[in-house]
Amino acid sequence: PLWVRDEQIKLAIARPLPRIQPHQDLHNEPIACVGYGPSLNETWEEVKGYRHIMSCSGATRFLLDRGIVPTWHVEVDPRPHKVQLLGEPHPDVNYLIASTCHPDVFDHLKNVKVTLWHIFDSSEDAMRTLPQGEWALTGGCSVGVRMLTLARFFGFRELHVYGMDGNEGESGKHAAAHPSQPKGHALVTYEGREFKTTSSMYAVAQGVWHELDQMPDVTATFHGDGLIQHMAKFYERKGGEKNATLGFAKPELISSDYRNMNPQLHKTNIAFGVGGGK
């Protein structure tokens, strides 16, 4: 329920955690963005060749079990089962945890590096809850697509995407075990090929291209075989040349210097601020 998610956001904001910051200097190096789709079983060894790796969902544990340590892990889902997918936290991974996430996830990661970020929501309540000066990012309806936005937010423009399939494969709907794997499937035909998928997975697949349109300076290469990889062959960017649209930072209403001056003035000048009643 939305009210539960919103309460979790408030609890996360109260935690003394560092917040994400945009990178003004753009990277010339590529980054591997790794999802947990079934094609990862065929492509994971390619990920070894990247200096920067961002992964999500069960892909982080999948890579760690094979000796590959991601630079960042991205989490969005507000449900507690994500703890099972994380497994034992790794001290060299920076866990990028959205404020929507369940308190159990934050408690599970209390002894490793965690950076907090927010999901952009234009509703009045959400804007009121978002702290001044903190970033809320766009990115679509899945953690995989939001991972692409986060990679660009960190200054990467050459994205190599693994395990983002949008369909069921030989290992199921994920590369390995998942505590909340949807049951059943539907058949979708796209440009001459048929894929097993679900309504939610297909919605994600359709949304990938809208999010890439918001990042005109990004080149995304999709590795492996799946519905999204097949759709990528026919993708044509829309919107022309423009700046990347990544998120929103709520402006501060008072600077930190001015805020610090006020209590100092009250402390040192007994007459300061007492004449309002007149």
Side-chain angles (χ1 to χ4, degrees), residues 78-144:
R79 295 171 293 175
H81 77 266
K82 303 306 292 187
V83 172
Q84 300 175 50
L85 272 176
L86 283 169
E88 185 66 25
H90 195 286
D92 295 330
V93 177
N94 187 342
Y95 292 85
L96 307 175
I97 309 300
S99 55
T100 52
C101 289
H102 196 277
D104 287 354
V105 172
F106 289 96
D107 293 341
H108 182 65
L109 299 171
K110 63 182 178 181
N111 295 321
V112 294
K113 292 180 288 186
V114 174
T115 303
L116 188 72
W117 62 286
H118 308 289
I119 293 172
F120 178 72
D121 183 344
S122 61
S123 68
E124 185 176 344
D125 285 345
M127 293 302 292
R128 185 184 297 112
T129 302
L130 180 66
Q132 271 87 12
E134 298 191 16
W135 282 89
L137 299 192
T138 60
C141 61
S142 81
V143 65

Side-chain angles (χ1 to χ4, degrees), residues 138-167:
T138 60
C141 61
S142 81
V143 65
V145 187
R146 289 187 182 276
M147 173 175 59
L148 306 185
T149 302
L150 267 165
R152 175 59 184 83
F153 189 76
F154 284 179
F156 292 96
R157 292 175 294 175
E158 184 182 340
L159 313 186
H160 289 264
V161 188
Y162 294 86
M164 188 180 289
D165 303 337
N167 64 278

Side-chain angles (χ1 to χ4, degrees), residues 30-77:
I31 184 173
C33 297
V34 186
Y36 197 37
S39 71
L40 187 59
N41 284 296
E42 285 73 53
T43 61
W44 67 267
E45 290 189 88
E46 297 178 27
V47 180
K48 294 179 181 178
Y50 295 86
R51 194 161 76 94
H52 306 284
I53 302 170
M54 187 177 286
S55 53
C56 64
S57 187
T60 299
R61 175 49 47 191
F62 185 97
L63 295 176
L64 288 171
D65 288 344
R66 289 156 179 77
I68 302 173
V69 181
T71 319
W72 299 280
H73 168 87
V74 182
E75 202 59 75
V76 174
D77 197 312

